[in-house]
Amino acid sequence: MSNVDRRKFLALGLGTAAGAMALGKMPQALASACGLTPPQTSGPFYPGEQNFQPENDLTRVPGRPGRALGQVIYVRGTVQDEACRPVKGANVELWQACASGKYNHRSDPNPAALDPNFRYWGEADSDAEGAYLFKTIMPGQYPANETWERPPHLHFRISKRGFHELVTQSYFEGHPLNPSDLILRNVPASERNLVVVKFEPAPPGFEPGALIGDFQITLR
């Protein structure tokens, strides 16, 4: 995808119909929930700030005709402050494993195969209403050590001048490994609902067969 095409793509929010729905107002239940998003570890596989670039579609790699393996998902939300006011221009970084559970990082010991058609990381800036959107795939679970299997999750780093930087993770509601995950269990029980996201079939205007989930981000 050329730089010009990428700018158009980002400006349209992954297409006119999808953008209107994904970057519009969040459901009322989300709008009323302004508790601070719990911070979590970045983990050992952060790709490095210099590797990020404005790209919110991780399902394709420029110059390659194939698409990433796995279930396509859309992650959308609003970056807001403690008073529920939208935060414009917040930089949202996302990185994750591919469908096999492998990170594109030299320190990842997982023997699973990398996906040459997956981008692994991207970033987007929140718009005037604080909204952001990513198109990606559901990551695979993977062994963290001999006795600990991590559930599928997404990593986020959110920064904006005047706010505390936030590093956190989001999880997929209902996954059987969630209750035993050591990192998720370290989040206070009363706050875990803020990082566990429900995914449902995406409405018309998004890629057929995709799932969509809302991850609300509240900064200090």
Side-chain angles (χ1 to χ4, degrees):
M1 185 183 292
S2 70
N3 288 335
V4 173
D5 289 340
R6 184 176 292 110
R7 285 196 295 270
K8 290 180 179 178
F9 178 83
L10 292 169
L12 290 173
L14 300 172
T16 303
M21 301 178 71
L23 299 181
K25 294 185 181 297
M26 292 294 104
Q28 186 61 39
L30 286 175
S32 62
C34 299
L36 289 172
T37 303
Q40 297 172 78
T41 177
S42 63
F45 307 129
Y46 180 68
E49 187 174 355
Q50 70 280 1
N51 288 321
F52 285 90
Q53 56 182 302
E55 181 60 73
N56 62 350
D57 184 358
L58 280 62
T59 65
R60 294 187 181 275
V61 175
R64 294 179 182 168
R67 197 202 73 180
L69 299 173
Q71 171 65 57
V72 173
I73 62 172
Y74 293 87
V75 184
R76 65 182 178 180
T78 299
V79 181
Q80 60 188 12
D81 65 15
E82 297 163 274
C84 301
R85 296 171 298 202
V87 176
K88 176 184 177 181
N91 183 252
V92 183
E93 296 178 348
L94 181 150
W95 70 99
Q96 63 172 96
C98 64
S100 71
K102 177 76 171 179
Y103 285 86
N104 188 6
H105 195 285
R106 63 174 179 262
S107 298
D108 186 0
N110 189 348
L114 288 168
D115 184 349
N117 296 312
F118 184 56
R119 291 188 63 92
Y120 289 90
W121 52 76
E123 69 175 351
D125 290 338
S126 59
D127 68 10
E129 296 184 347
Y132 74 90
L133 172 71
F134 287 97
K135 180 182 181 182
T136 183
I137 56 94
M138 185 178 295
Q141 62 192 58
Y142 62 87
N145 58 38
E146 294 181 357
T147 60
W148 175 20
E149 188 91 0
R150 290 225 65 199
H153 58 279
L154 305 174
H155 294 264
F156 291 86
R157 177 176 179 256
I158 305 96
S159 57
K160 167 73 175 178
R161 180 170 293 183
F163 292 85
H164 290 270
E165 180 181 280
L166 173 68
V167 175
T168 192
Q169 301 178 32
S170 71
Y171 303 83
F172 295 78
E173 183 180 273
H175 195 277
L177 290 176
N178 286 350
S180 61
D181 185 63
L182 299 182
I183 294 176
L184 180 56
R185 285 170 58 183
N186 197 45
V187 176
S190 61
E191 299 177 7
R192 288 176 197 162
N193 65 304
L194 299 176
V195 295
V196 177
V197 178
K198 181 177 182 179
F199 281 81
E200 299 180 311
F206 294 88
E207 181 172 320
L211 301 176
I212 191 166
D214 294 303
F215 181 43
Q216 194 83 333
I217 297 169
T218 303
L219 301 178
R220 186 187 301 276

